[in-house]
Amino acid sequence: MAAPATTFAVVAAVALLALVGTSGARAQDMGNDWAPFIGGGMTGSALPLSDVDLLEFPLNLEYLEAEFFCWASLGYGLDVIDIKLTGGGPPPVGGQTAKLTPLVRDIATQFCYQEVGHLRAIKQTVKGFPRPLLDISAANFAKIVEQALGMKLDLPFNPYENTLNFLIASYIIPYVGLTGYVGANPKLLTPQARKLVAGLLGVESAQDAVIRTLLYENGMSQLTSNDEVGVAQMTSHISELRNALGRKGIKDEGLVVAPELGPEGKTTGNIIAGDRFSLAYDRTPEEILAVVYGSGDPAIFGGFFPKGGDGRIARGYIA
């Protein structure tokens, strides 16, 4: 009876060796097939070029968010926190410490370090690029607010002046990156890339929800520097501006909307933006660049990016 069992074991072992050898060959062949599309990264992971591009592009927004939140809450940015993350890129223009309540400073500090973590996560997956030149000055935010309102204010908006102004400025930035992750997710080819984007999207969405909640609580308040402008009114104007710059219809909503735009058409309160099914809106890189450049055109840089964004996607519109 031992002979059949021994024979079976030998056959199984030979089959296993053949399978391993075949798998190894297939893995090697697949590596050769994908060689033109490999993106380098600290992990050494192989990703198709399209995934590399879609993962690198958000670095533009993550750099912007990290510098704004860190400067506002701590009074310094990546050059102090971890200069290696900058990749040798130029320091941002106009960052300063904001005058915040203890609660909001604590929240902003958490956001700061969350964005630092996001930069690390992306750069451990793809090579990335150096920090672009960023303009987070009060003057730049003032220009955006006046563009949204369609009028020049007697007292220029200053995001670092007080807590409400800071929250309005915070409303301007993270949501754009959030919509970019929603737009990128279905275009990603690998589980590794989709998992990373899902993780980034989860935290960016939570940040936006916190910002909107704090603003919603103060929706009827007037911005102290410009008493004629209310908080909820300002969010609507900013969202309308982003819709206009993106040129793809409604993908942005303020804290108060017309009844038909609220969840199920039942409320005018709009603490979380969403489409008619209350699903998050999506934006393409082209739309995002048009918004953050403030030009409505991904080929005409400016706004937060005086010299344009970086990465193959952003550079592709300018070349």
Side-chain angles (χ1 to χ4, degrees):
M1 296 297 292
T6 302
T7 301
F8 176 79
V10 171
V11 172
V14 171
L16 178 60
L17 287 171
L19 179 61
V20 170
T22 303
S23 298
R26 287 176 180 172
Q28 185 176 5
D29 291 342
M30 183 177 292
N32 292 333
D33 291 342
W34 283 62
F37 307 102
I38 298 303
M42 292 174 64
T43 61
S45 298
L47 293 173
L49 183 59
S50 60
D51 278 11
V52 172
D53 288 345
L54 288 170
L55 291 179
E56 285 190 329
F57 178 76
L59 280 173
N60 290 295
L61 278 297
E62 297 291 354
Y63 277 126
L64 175 61
E65 293 171 34
E67 292 293 0
F68 174 64
F69 286 126
C70 291
W71 270 98
S73 61
L74 303 175
Y76 51 82
L78 295 175
D79 292 279
V80 173
I81 293 171
D82 187 348
I83 196 168
K84 290 182 294 185
L85 286 175
T86 71
V93 175
Q96 57 183 282
T97 309
K99 298 175 183 177
L100 305 174
T101 63
L103 172 65
V104 173
R105 185 173 305 282
D106 179 36
I107 291 171
T109 302
Q110 293 179 49
F111 286 2
C112 158
Y113 288 118
Q114 287 167 3
E115 298 305 335
V116 171
H118 289 178
L119 289 171
R120 295 191 198 282
I122 294 173
K123 288 192 167 197
Q124 286 177 0
T125 307
V126 294
K127 183 178 180 181
F129 48 79
R131 174 184 58 195
L133 179 63
L134 303 169
D135 187 349
I136 55 173
S137 66
N140 186 49
F141 278 99
K143 187 185 304 181
I144 294 168
V145 166
E146 290 183 351
Q147 185 180 7
L149 292 173
M151 57 183 274
K152 189 168 183 63
L153 299 173
D154 293 333
L155 295 173
F157 176 84
N158 182 347
Y160 304 106
E161 182 180 359
N162 56 60
T163 294
L164 272 183
N165 282 14
F166 168 76
L167 291 173
I168 288 291
S170 299
Y171 180 90
I172 292 173
I173 299 177
Y175 180 74
V176 180
L178 181 166
T179 57
Y181 286 132
V182 177
N185 194 55
K187 296 178 175 60
L188 295 168
L189 301 178
T190 60
Q192 180 185 6
R194 289 195 295 270
K195 181 179 179 181
L196 175 58
V197 165
L200 293 164
L201 174 58
V203 174
E204 295 288 337
S205 299
Q207 289 178 350
D208 185 63
V210 170
I211 293 165
R212 292 179 72 100
T213 300
L214 292 170
L215 286 170
Y216 192 77
E217 185 179 21
N218 294 279
M220 300 304 294
S221 301
Q222 303 294 307
L223 296 176
T224 56
S225 295
N226 299 281
D227 291 339
E228 71 277 16
V229 182
V231 169
Q233 177 188 8
M234 181 68 84
T235 64
S236 294
H237 284 299
I238 292 169
S239 289
E240 289 166 5
L241 172 63
R242 291 192 294 217
N243 284 329
L245 293 173
R247 300 181 180 182
K248 296 292 183 179
I250 296 178
K251 294 194 175 183
D252 218 303
E253 297 172 339
L255 296 173
V256 178
V257 294
E260 61 271 18
L261 294 178
E264 290 294 298
K266 302 296 185 182
T267 74
T268 57
N270 197 48
I271 198 166
I272 297 176
D275 65 13
R276 65 192 183 97
F277 298 115
S278 290
L279 301 177
Y281 291 108
D282 67 291
R283 281 194 174 100
T284 64
E286 179 181 357
E287 295 169 64
I288 289 172
L289 292 173
V291 171
V292 297
Y293 289 172
S295 64
D297 187 332
I300 302 176
F301 49 78
F304 290 114
F305 295 85
K307 294 186 177 179
D310 206 344
R312 277 167 41 94
I313 292 177
R315 290 197 307 269
Y317 289 106
I318 300 172

